[in-house]
Amino acid sequence: MSLVHPFKPESMISIFIPEDYEEYLKNNMYPNCSIKVIEHPISTESIKEMFTNPGLKKHTISDGTLSNDQKSMDQSF
């Protein structure tokens, strides 16, 4: 997931969470943390296959609407 940095409007934050839940549980503390957070300049996503990961599952937050927990639990990641 990527979002505009709340305190630096010229930057974005990208968050990468492993698909394998067991890997996440096994590596959940610093320095062995499987969640990666990267701050970077705002940019558009490349359309060139050389710069993309076809296996990456993408999620978006739009309209800033809130959803309840039950509705969220029914969504796949």
Side-chain angles (χ1 to χ4, degrees):
M1 177 171 68
S2 294
L3 53 119
V4 175
H5 193 299
F7 304 114
K8 298 179 185 176
E10 70 282 355
S11 295
M12 293 185 81
I13 299 172
S14 291
I15 304 166
F16 299 91
I17 300 171
E19 185 176 4
D20 181 5
Y21 187 67
E22 292 301 318
E23 179 186 338
Y24 165 74
L25 290 178
K26 188 169 63 173
N27 299 297
N28 67 353
M29 295 183 76
Y30 179 84
N32 296 319
C33 184
S34 57
I35 295 176
K36 305 297 180 200
V37 179
I38 301 168
E39 182 180 339
H40 55 89
I42 290 180
S43 62
T44 56
E45 185 176 351
S46 178
I47 58 172
K48 296 183 179 181
E49 286 186 26
M50 172 177 181
F51 299 113
T52 60
N53 181 344
L56 191 64
K57 293 183 181 178
K58 301 173 189 173
H59 297 276
T60 59
I61 298 173
S62 59
D63 298 330
T65 59
L66 297 175
S67 63
N68 65 37
D69 288 341
Q70 187 58 46
K71 191 182 227 181
S72 298
M73 292 299 287
D74 294 337
Q75 295 176 351
S76 63
F77 280 96

